[in-house]
Amino acid sequence: MDFDTYELDPSVYDEMLLPDGAPRDHCRPLYDALRRMSSEELSGVQERATRSFSHEGISFTVYGEAEAQERIIPIDCLPRLLSGADWRLIESGLTQRLIALNRFLEDVYNEARIVADGVIPADMVRGCPQYRIEMRGFSPPHGVWVAICGTDIVRTNDGFHVLEDNLRVPSGVSYMIANRKVIKSGLRRTYRSARVREVEHYGRLLQATLRELAPSGRSDPCIALLTPGVYNAAFYEHMFLAGEIGAELVEGRDLVVNDGTVYMRTTSGLRRVDVIYRRIDDDFLDPLVFRPDSLLGVPGLLHACKRGSVSLVNAPGTGVADDKSVYAYVPDMIRYYLGDEPILANVETHLCRRPESLEYTLDNLENLVVKRVGESGGYGMLVGPHATPAERAAYAEEVRANPADFIAQPVLALSRAPCLIDGRFEPRHVDLRPFVLNGRQTRIVPGAFCRVALRRGSLVVNSSQGGGGKDLWVLNDQAN
Amino acid sequence: MLVRSAQGLYWMSRYLERARRLCRLLQLQTESLVDRPIREIHFGWSRIYASVNRDPPAGRIELLGSDDYTLADSYTLAGDLTFERSNPDSVWSCFDQGRENARQIRQSISTPMWTQLNLAYLRLQELEMPDIWAVSPESFYADTVAQIDTFVGVAAATMYRGEGWRFMELGRFVERAQLLAALLLAQLDAEQHVEEASDADWTGLLRLCHAFEVYNRRYSVAVQPRQVLDLLVTDPRLPDSLGRSIDRAAEEIDAIGPGPDPDSSGALQRLAGRIGGVIHYQWPDHDDCQALLEQVRTHCYELHDRVTAAYFDYAIEDAPAS
């Protein structure tokens, strides 16, 4: 197959090709291999990948008006490549960022120096719905509030930018591994010669991380993964990870708290649980403390966590650090706690709570992406250039009514990567979500869940909004 | 093991066993549509509905003297038992429930087991009644049985023989015992309502349990209902027999060992032993088969309740903690 009809736009970074149509150096072997393959061969790879997902039930759940549906995340068979140098930059940038974010969380729930020193407005922290007053005075093992994070990174012609830190219950790591498994078997020879760094040992690193965070004195901790259950969109991932780390997959109803200690109900009685990798939002964790109507949680869980008999990972209350407004201050946090300049840039962000930013946002709605502070997953946002005037006007009303609930960012020219669409190579916008683990040390597998907006021209990569996935190959080019 | 996982395995297994048994019944029944007299076809449908304890869609099965009507009615009845979503015991529903249970505890079964079950499920999702009826409904049912048998074989080849395996086996044999007891009672009951019993009604039962050849070798090609019953109830070498199902269930209960509450665990073990006693020691010298089968069936339902009490629904206050 050739790239003759492949569209290049100099204002958008292409992950494989230079503006003149020649392949980037690190992409040349893949480029050559793709040109040697026929359209039928590649379509075959694509079909086998999709079929294998369907047979293995690698799915997520979408909630429509009528009923929940199990769906496959569409996969594009062309891998996205990252050079070793690009990866090293991302790796050091993410490590720096997570260290600062953990310092921030330990600080705001204890002394709150950063607020006292006027770096971040007090009302922005304490007024954030994700700030959990119940966690004040708490300090998790080793000061690790966020042990597992999945950071969304995009690339433009100006380099990499962090779009979002997901510090609560980030998902997608199972798709990183599933995509790798099917693509490497589909493109076996190309894969072998490309010297791709492995990602499939993620489970081992995750287990090591969770063990390090066990309460002191529990040398052989019992680890459980707490899922909201089979109806959760990410249930496949919960099941997969539990298997990878050798943890019991539990629901709230499987756990009981007795005398401040957490147990699970087994067929031979109660067994103590030491570490809970929870994939349930704070709100639903403990009906005695958070939402009283939660059926997913465990009464007394927060009390057990605060007295240190069980470690909740990530700790409750981390959402205050990935709030879309607080996000704007992460570069300042890095400077404040570490005395360093941020390695990875933020996206320019206008906080509508500030009058001048509100005015700017409303005046430039057609050029901005406006997001609701409390939403995620691509819900509740306005992509200005793609909206109709009526939609913009309606949205502007909402922004005016509650400015503090909104932030605005420029529409980024997200980089594009070639995808196999209807038997041809076509460019589509992509981002990447690497996963960072933090126990006593930071661990990152060299890879990411690469999301792709499969609809032509679309910038929205979320799985719930028609996005798909790609395998991402970090190349081992240290020797070169 | 986690209570919910044990329960999921137990129920997965029960639903698949239920689907398997129903498919076997429907396989033989749709075979009979090709050449058997209407009376026999009618008898077959009545027996199936009685054994699953369900009313046919029209309330009762009409015996009309015409082939056309019988075939049209059979289509409706087979559809009701195969694809009807609102029938909780239809093949479709059993698969749906079996697979849903498996999905929830997927980390407790092997990957090949999950893949096999999911493939079988996806195949069923793509079919409708007209697809299976047009050519050969009996081969659809035979294929479905083979899919479940393959799943059981894959499980035997790949699953770790821990507690999870035990609960899966326990579920299968509890279900099998309940189904066979109900079917044999349905047979005896349906017989009382026909003027002249036919050998084919009994040989059908033997075929259903893969016991036809064994019967012919052991007894004779002449069918004696009491001998058929003896074989299906007591023979420990017949995989589908009541006796073997109960013995296997008892073995699994022994292997799992006591649950958190010694009282309910003891009651469970005693009950399993008691059913075995009825089958092995009372049945051979007893004339009233119907009464004894009623007793066994009641005990089999009770067995499920005792399993639940011993391992799943124990009171947390009484449970030892470790």
Side-chain angles (χ1 to χ4, degrees):
Chain A
M1 283 183 70
D2 58 47
F3 283 83
D4 295 352
T5 57
Y6 186 80
E7 277 175 47
L8 281 167
D9 174 350
S11 68
V12 179
Y13 187 95
D14 191 276
E15 295 288 339
M16 185 180 280
L17 301 179
L18 293 161
D20 65 2
R24 296 180 187 278
D25 277 349
H26 66 282
C27 297
R28 178 166 288 283
L30 176 66
Y31 175 83
D32 290 340
L34 291 177
R35 297 220 322 168
R36 282 193 300 272
M37 293 176 81
S38 68
S39 166
E40 289 72 30
E41 268 177 278
L42 272 175
S43 301
V45 173
Q46 179 101 350
E47 270 164 36
R48 280 195 299 280
T50 307
R51 203 175 331 128
S52 121
F53 278 10
S54 159
H55 289 178
E56 289 176 36
I58 301 176
S59 59
F60 71 109
T61 314
V62 183
Y63 295 91
E65 282 168 12
E67 55 181 10
Q69 281 185 318
E70 273 178 62
R71 278 210 213 141
I72 307 293
I73 293 192
I75 177 168
D76 179 76
C77 68
L78 306 185
R80 169 182 176 185
L81 271 50
L82 272 189
S83 69
D86 281 342
W87 178 253
R88 285 188 289 280
L89 177 79
I90 289 175
E91 195 175 34
S92 56
L94 289 176
T95 305
Q96 177 195 53
R97 205 169 163 99
L98 189 56
I99 292 172
L101 285 163
N102 268 313
R103 296 275 289 273
F104 169 73
L105 284 161
E106 182 77 5
D107 187 18
V108 292
Y109 285 112
N110 288 282
E111 295 165 49
R113 285 187 299 122
I114 196 165
V115 176
D117 290 342
V119 178
I120 294 184
D123 70 316
M124 180 178 287
V125 173
R126 305 228 169 91
C128 169
Q130 299 298 326
Y131 178 79
R132 304 293 179 187
I133 199 159
E134 299 83 356
M135 301 312 290
R136 276 174 69 173
F138 177 69
S139 182
H142 311 296
V144 174
W145 289 73
V146 178
I148 299 148
C149 114
T151 309
D152 290 338
I153 297 178
V154 297
R155 168 143 58 183
T156 68
N157 274 329
D158 302 327
F160 291 110
H161 302 264
V162 171
L163 192 61
E164 217 168 75
D165 302 286
N166 294 294
L167 307 176
R168 291 173 246 179
V169 285
S171 62
V173 75
S174 60
Y175 301 111
M176 167 180 86
I177 294 167
N179 288 348
R180 172 60 56 86
K181 278 187 183 151
V182 295
I183 296 304
K184 97 175 163 185
S185 102
L187 300 172
R188 44 196 308 139
R189 260 178 297 173
T190 314
Y191 183 84
R192 171 120 210 133
S193 59
R195 291 196 294 161
V196 184
R197 297 184 62 189
E198 281 181 36
V199 296
E200 284 142 299
H201 58 299
Y202 177 81
R204 286 208 304 279
L205 301 188
L206 175 59
Q207 192 200 48
T209 302
L210 294 170
R211 289 179 70 96
E212 286 173 5
L213 297 175
S216 61
R218 303 295 291 177
S219 56
D220 186 19
C222 169
I223 301 174
L225 193 155
L226 177 60
T227 172
V230 73
Y231 300 107
N232 185 267
F235 180 76
Y236 164 76
E237 174 156 306
H238 304 163
M239 186 283 304
F240 172 80
L241 288 176
E244 290 283 296
I245 63 177
E248 283 290 354
L249 181 63
V250 299
E251 295 179 15
R253 57 194 161 121
D254 300 323
L255 300 178
V256 285
V257 179
N258 206 349
D259 283 342
T261 305
V262 183
Y263 298 93
M264 59 185 176
R265 301 178 61 233
T266 76
T267 49
S268 49
L270 301 180
R271 179 169 176 214
R272 178 165 171 187
V273 179
D274 303 298
V275 180
I276 298 178
Y277 174 19
R278 52 96 173 204
R279 296 290 301 254
I280 293 184
D281 286 334
D282 286 358
D283 274 338
F284 298 97
L285 269 180
D286 183 343
L288 297 183
V289 182
F290 302 122
R291 280 178 57 162
D293 59 338
S294 169
L295 300 173
L296 306 173
V298 187
L301 187 58
L302 200 78
H303 169 64
C305 166
K306 286 180 74 176
R307 70 188 283 271
S309 72
V310 70
S311 301
L312 289 181
V313 178
N314 293 336
T318 53
V320 67
D322 71 1
D323 175 84
K324 287 187 168 68
S325 306
V326 174
Y327 159 86
Y329 290 89
V330 176
D332 292 334
M333 288 178 204
I334 295 172
R335 293 183 193 103
Y336 181 79
Y337 293 114
L338 310 179
D340 290 332
E341 275 306 303
I343 298 170
L344 289 172
N346 256 22
V347 178
E348 177 191 353
T349 301
H350 307 278
L351 304 173
C352 297
R353 60 182 7 247
R354 297 179 183 147
E356 68 280 10
S357 299
L358 174 63
E359 196 183 332
Y360 175 84
T361 301
L362 293 172
D363 289 347
N364 294 281
L365 220 44
E366 68 279 11
N367 301 318
L368 294 170
V369 178
V370 190
K371 297 175 179 172
R372 257 175 228 279
V373 171
E375 295 275 0
S376 62
Y379 292 100
M381 66 186 231
L382 177 88
V383 181
H386 295 181
T388 63
E391 284 167 342
R392 284 200 294 266
Y395 206 86
E397 278 309 307
E398 295 182 47
V399 175
R400 223 173 262 123
N402 292 301
D405 288 353
F406 294 87
I407 58 142
Q409 294 172 332
V411 179
L412 294 180
L414 252 57
S415 66
R416 300 193 302 193
C419 294
L420 186 71
I421 310 273
D422 300 331
R424 309 188 323 146
F425 294 138
E426 286 190 19
R428 290 290 185 271
H429 294 290
V430 289
D431 77 349
L432 71 151
R433 177 180 288 184
F435 294 87
V436 189
L437 298 170
N438 196 4
R440 257 182 249 167
Q441 63 183 95
T442 306
R443 301 175 172 95
I444 311 182
V445 291
F449 177 35
C450 172
R451 299 186 297 176
V452 45
L454 286 171
R455 270 193 300 242
R456 193 184 173 85
S458 170
L459 290 167
V460 184
V461 294
N462 302 77
S463 315
S464 49
Q465 315 274 321
K470 253 180 181 306
D471 191 14
L472 181 132
W473 294 2
V474 174
L475 303 180
N476 186 7
D477 52 9
Q478 287 278 23
N480 299 348
Chain B
M1 95 180 293
L2 203 61
V3 165
R4 196 169 41 77
S5 304
Q7 242 173 334
L9 287 162
Y10 175 83
W11 276 111
M12 170 192 77
S13 200
R14 286 197 62 166
Y15 278 116
L16 291 176
E17 179 66 20
R18 199 174 295 177
R20 182 182 184 280
R21 172 52 56 87
L22 189 52
C23 283
R24 273 297 284 166
L25 281 164
L26 289 167
Q27 181 192 343
L28 296 169
Q29 181 67 9
T30 47
E31 271 169 22
S32 77
L33 297 179
V34 179
D35 59 351
R36 305 308 300 168
I38 288 175
R39 193 208 66 78
E40 255 180 67
I41 294 172
H42 178 262
F43 184 88
W45 284 122
S46 307
R47 188 173 62 189
I48 294 177
Y49 271 94
S51 77
V52 299
N53 196 20
R54 176 175 169 82
D55 287 331
R60 59 203 214 91
I61 297 161
E62 296 287 347
L63 180 57
L64 292 163
S66 135
D67 271 5
D68 290 346
Y69 278 112
T70 302
L71 292 179
D73 282 350
S74 293
Y75 179 89
T76 309
L77 298 174
D80 176 55
L81 294 170
T82 309
F83 289 109
E84 182 53 49
R85 308 315 199 236
S86 69
N87 173 3
D89 291 323
S90 70
V91 175
W92 191 93
S93 300
C94 288
F95 251 94
D96 190 49
Q97 286 297 312
R99 191 245 189 196
E100 187 59 26
N101 273 286
R103 192 160 85 90
Q104 299 196 23
I105 46 98
R106 200 172 136 183
Q107 74 290 350
S108 305
I109 61 176
S110 71
T111 304
M113 285 167 74
W114 165 256
T115 309
Q116 166 61 23
L117 179 55
N118 197 40
L119 278 175
Y121 166 84
L122 292 174
R123 164 181 169 269
L124 207 59
Q125 293 295 306
E126 285 168 7
L127 292 171
E128 305 262 2
M129 208 45 205
D131 305 320
I132 71 163
W133 205 258
V135 187
S136 161
E138 56 271 30
S139 51
F140 160 78
Y141 293 115
D143 289 347
T144 309
V145 170
Q147 300 252 11
I148 299 173
D149 287 344
T150 305
F151 172 78
V152 175
V154 169
T158 59
M159 188 166 170
Y160 184 71
R161 297 302 198 269
E163 218 181 358
W165 167 265
R166 304 270 173 216
F167 276 103
M168 207 176 74
E169 292 285 280
L170 178 58
R172 187 141 61 94
F173 289 109
V174 166
E175 181 71 23
R176 190 173 287 183
Q178 286 187 2
L179 290 173
L180 188 60
L183 181 67
L184 295 178
L185 279 166
Q187 167 81 15
L188 294 176
D189 189 54
E191 268 221 322
Q192 290 171 358
H193 297 100
V194 294
E195 289 157 18
E196 189 187 344
S198 148
D199 281 0
D201 301 335
W202 287 99
T203 53
L205 270 188
L206 288 169
R207 284 184 205 282
L208 183 84
C209 299
H210 308 283
F212 183 63
E213 291 79 5
V214 174
Y215 182 89
N216 289 346
R217 270 200 303 275
R218 165 136 13 126
Y219 301 102
S220 83
V221 288
V223 172
Q224 292 288 339
R226 173 70 203 215
Q227 288 173 343
V228 173
L229 285 174
D230 285 348
L231 182 69
L232 298 182
V233 172
T234 60
D235 194 320
R237 286 158 299 187
L238 185 69
D240 271 5
S241 80
L242 250 183
R244 179 165 183 279
S245 302
I246 290 300
D247 292 349
R248 288 287 295 108
E251 278 171 41
E252 299 304 350
I253 291 166
D254 278 345
I256 294 167
D261 171 20
D263 289 348
S264 49
S265 301
L268 170 64
Q269 276 184 321
R270 290 194 299 277
L271 177 65
R274 198 150 60 237
I275 310 175
V278 171
I279 291 170
H280 296 302
Y281 301 115
Q282 263 185 280
W283 179 273
D285 306 317
H286 209 283
D287 290 332
D288 191 349
C289 296
Q290 186 144 6
L292 225 47
L293 275 173
E294 294 275 9
Q295 194 184 336
V296 169
R297 179 174 61 173
T298 310
H299 281 340
C300 284
Y301 289 131
E302 205 185 324
L303 193 61
H304 164 78
D305 297 336
R306 295 261 180 222
V307 167
T308 305
Y311 300 117
F312 305 152
D313 277 354
Y314 57 83
I316 283 167
E317 304 78 58
D318 305 339
S322 62

